[in-house]
C-alpha cells in the first residue's frame, strides 16, 4: 500500500472522527485494497470489496466526506481486518 493510502487509512481511524477527508482519497484507498468501483444514479457509487457491495454517496459540492460516512467506512474496514 502506498504511503498516501496509509495516511488516508490513519485519518479514517483517527479519533475524534475527521470531517475533512477528501472523498477522492477514500476512493483511491478502496481501489488500492482491490475494490471495483461503479457509477450509480446521481452522486452514488457502488463499491465491491471483501465480497460485498456497498453504495456510497459522493459528497458535493464540498469534496470532504462527512463524519457519519467516515465512521461507516471505518466500521466496514475494521470488520474485514483492515486497520492502520
Amino acid at each position: 500500500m502506498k504511503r498516501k493510502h496509509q495516511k488516508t487509512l490513519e485519518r479514517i481511524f483517527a479519533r475524534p472522527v475527521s470531517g475533512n477527508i477528501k472523498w477522492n482519497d477514500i476512493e483511491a484507498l478502496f481501489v488500492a485494497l482491490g475494490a471495483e468501483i461503479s457509477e450509480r444514479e446521481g452522486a452514488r457509487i457502488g463499491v465491491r470489496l471483501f465480497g460485498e457491495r456497498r453504495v456510497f454517496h459522493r459528497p458535493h459540492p464540498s469534496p470532504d466526506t462527512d463524519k457519519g460516512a467516515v465512521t461507516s467506512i471505518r466500521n466496514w474496514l475494521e470488520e474485514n481486518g483492515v486497520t492502520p
Side-chain angles (χ1 to χ4, degrees), residues 18-72:
S18 177
N20 63 355
I21 301 173
K22 303 290 183 226
W23 179 255
N24 288 339
D25 293 341
I26 292 175
E27 273 192 55
L29 172 63
F30 287 157
V31 171
L33 292 171
E36 294 176 23
I37 297 187
S38 59
E39 298 294 326
R40 309 282 293 235
E41 279 185 36
R44 290 175 179 78
I45 63 161
V47 179
R48 178 179 284 281
L49 184 62
F50 312 122
E52 300 175 38
R53 176 171 288 143
R54 298 279 175 114
V55 176
F56 294 99
H57 187 269
R58 278 192 181 119
H60 58 84
S62 169
D64 297 332
T65 309
D66 67 58
K67 293 179 181 186
V70 171
T71 300
S72 175

Side-chain angles (χ1 to χ4, degrees), residues 10-21 67 70-71 74:
E10 290 168 4
R11 293 185 67 209
I12 290 171
F13 278 84
R15 300 279 185 179
V17 176
S18 177
N20 63 355
I21 301 173
K67 293 179 181 186
V70 171
T71 300
R74 176 178 46 211

Side-chain angles (χ1 to χ4, degrees), residues 67-82:
K67 293 179 181 186
V70 171
T71 300
S72 175
I73 291 165
R74 176 178 46 211
N75 292 339
W76 187 38
L77 293 173
E78 200 167 38
E79 288 169 7
N80 289 283
V82 178

